[in-house]
């Protein structure tokens, strides 16, 4: 179709088009299709923005309660919906409540390890882990480093 070389397993996907070719009128131009496509894009962007706001709101609710993070049912209640509806809306964004929860805990842990002198046990407790060993396992899974290694590098 484009009569050009194809590179498989390239670092990124790209299609390079000569700038002059972009200025050539499209002989099959259809104003109705153009209008429909633009409206479809606007609707998709609005929905994406709305859903991103939901993820941000969930994250914000979790961040407002450090050390005693609310359960999904409590977060859903704060948002004026059921836990089931929250789960469905998050699923539409390809994210789970647990992923957001873990992200908030990871961010909190990283901040506590770099900005405070709290012990590993205290950090684990502050981000809602029952013991430091489960915290250390999770932290290593998140960052690839043990909390003590992370703190030493920072």
């Amino acid at each position: 179709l484009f009569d050009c070389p194809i590179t498989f397993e390239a670092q990124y996907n790209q299609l390079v088009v000569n700038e002059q070719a972009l200025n050539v009128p499209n002989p099959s131009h259809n104003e109705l299709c153009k209008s429909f496509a633009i409206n479809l894009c606007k609707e998709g962007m609005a929905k994406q923005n709305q859903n991103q706001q939901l993820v941000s709101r969930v994250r914000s609710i979790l961040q407002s309660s450090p050390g005693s993070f609310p359960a999904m049912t409590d977060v859903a209640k704060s948002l004026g919906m059921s836990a089931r509806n929250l789960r469905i809306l998050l699923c539409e964004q390809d994210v789970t409540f647990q992923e957001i929860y873990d992200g908030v805990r990871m961010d909190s842990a990283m901040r506590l390890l770099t900005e405070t002198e709290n012990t590993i046990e205290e950090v684990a407790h502050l981000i809602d882990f029952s013991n430091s060993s489960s915290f250390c396992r999770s932290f290593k899974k998140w960052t690839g480093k043990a909390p003590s290694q992370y703190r030493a590098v920072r």
Side-chain angles (χ1 to χ4, degrees), residues 31-151:
E31 195 61 39
L32 183 62
C33 286
K34 175 185 170 188
S35 175
F36 178 75
I38 288 172
N39 287 336
L40 194 59
C41 289
K42 286 180 180 177
E43 288 173 14
M45 287 174 62
K47 185 174 182 180
Q48 183 180 19
N49 187 34
Q50 187 178 44
N51 290 335
Q52 285 175 344
Q53 287 176 354
L54 175 65
V55 172
S56 293
R57 288 171 64 198
V58 169
R59 186 174 285 116
S60 178
I61 291 168
L62 289 170
Q63 288 170 334
S64 68
S65 307
S68 137
F69 298 104
M72 182 175 173
T73 52
D74 298 324
V75 172
K77 190 175 181 180
S78 296
L79 294 169
M81 64 179 75
S82 69
R84 183 175 184 271
N85 282 347
L86 178 58
R87 189 176 306 110
I88 289 168
L89 291 172
L90 291 174
C91 185
E92 288 175 2
Q93 283 300 293
D94 295 323
V95 67
T96 65
F97 179 81
Q98 188 64 47
E99 289 170 336
I100 298 170
Y101 176 72
D102 287 344
V104 168
R105 293 204 306 175
M106 179 185 75
D107 292 343
S108 297
M110 293 167 79
R111 183 181 50 75
L112 288 167
L113 288 169
T114 57
E115 296 176 8
T116 72
E117 296 298 320
N118 292 342
T119 66
I120 303 297
E121 291 77 19
E122 290 169 334
V123 171
H125 176 72
L126 287 170
I127 62 169
D128 217 15
F129 276 91
S130 57
N131 60 57
S132 62
S133 60
S134 61
F135 164 65
C136 290
R137 279 192 304 276
S138 292
F139 192 85
K140 187 158 188 164
K141 187 174 94 175
W142 296 331
T143 65
K145 295 180 179 165
S148 55
Q149 292 173 318
Y150 182 85
R151 177 175 265 167

